[in-house]
Amino acid sequence: MNKFMAIAIDEARKGIISGDGGPFGAVIVKNGEIIAQAHNRVLANHDATCHGEMEAIRQASKLLNTFDLSGCELYTTAEPCPMCLSACLWANIQKIYYGCSMLDTEQIGFRDKKFDALLGGRKDLDILVQIDRDACLKLFEEYNNIKDKTIY
């Protein structure tokens, strides 16, 4: 397994255990070094924009003192939703490595595919690369087995 994806999975697991939100962790890397790592905090912050990728982008931008994350790569446990994908593009992130697909995310109750379709569908982007799906599916299964959870 990719070492950065393993950290994204661990970050997502922290968020699940603390009840912060869904099984979504993200790591931003520049020149082989971790710049930021975060997890979904939608429930913790009562803010629909606090997805793992968005939280990591905010951290990286603050640390680097710039909105331009050129030269950075993002590792995330799930294919970015339309909001997060757009934020990655605006931030000039050069490559996005994701674990589970939008179809996998739909299987555990999330609506990313619906919003993607409303916005015209996913275009083939060469910056999106799927890796370590099986490890991320295991994380999704752990999340799915939690009773009385709020889906976000």
Side-chain angles (χ1 to χ4, degrees):
M1 177 184 333
N2 178 283
K3 68 180 181 180
F4 299 122
M5 184 61 81
I7 294 167
I9 290 169
D10 288 343
E11 187 67 38
R13 197 171 276 120
K14 276 194 263 182
I16 293 169
I17 291 166
S18 62
D20 289 346
F24 309 108
V27 174
I28 295 180
V29 175
K30 185 169 187 174
N31 300 324
E33 298 291 325
I34 295 175
I35 303 300
Q37 62 187 70
H39 60 264
N40 182 298
R41 295 186 50 78
V42 168
L43 298 176
N45 292 346
H46 308 288
D47 182 340
T49 69
C50 290
H51 292 191
E53 298 94 334
M54 300 294 285
E55 295 288 283
I57 289 169
R58 289 178 183 122
Q59 283 181 23
S61 295
K62 187 173 183 177
L63 179 77
L64 297 175
N65 199 32
T66 181
F67 61 87
D68 185 356
L69 300 180
S70 293
C72 291
E73 299 174 331
L74 182 126
Y75 293 79
T76 180
T77 55
E79 186 174 2
C81 73
M83 174 183 68
C84 293
L85 178 58
S86 295
C88 289
L89 294 171
W90 277 107
N92 296 313
I93 292 174
Q94 72 180 36
K95 193 66 90 176
I96 300 166
Y97 298 97
Y98 68 92
C100 291
S101 69
M102 277 193 287
L103 292 175
D104 297 324
T105 306
E106 184 178 48
Q107 296 302 309
I108 61 168
F110 290 86
R111 305 171 292 163
D112 300 18
K113 186 178 166 194
K114 174 184 174 181
F115 296 128
D116 203 58
L118 286 170
L119 296 172
R122 186 81 22 138
K123 306 295 184 241
D124 288 329
L125 294 171
D126 59 355
I127 67 167
L128 291 169
V129 178
Q130 188 174 32
I131 63 171
D132 298 321
R133 180 174 179 255
D134 289 340
C136 291
L137 281 172
K138 183 176 182 256
L139 171 74
F140 274 29
E141 184 180 330
E142 291 171 26
Y143 175 77
N144 207 36
N145 288 333
I146 297 171
K147 298 195 182 333
D148 301 323
K149 65 184 169 291
T150 302
I151 304 283
Y152 278 102

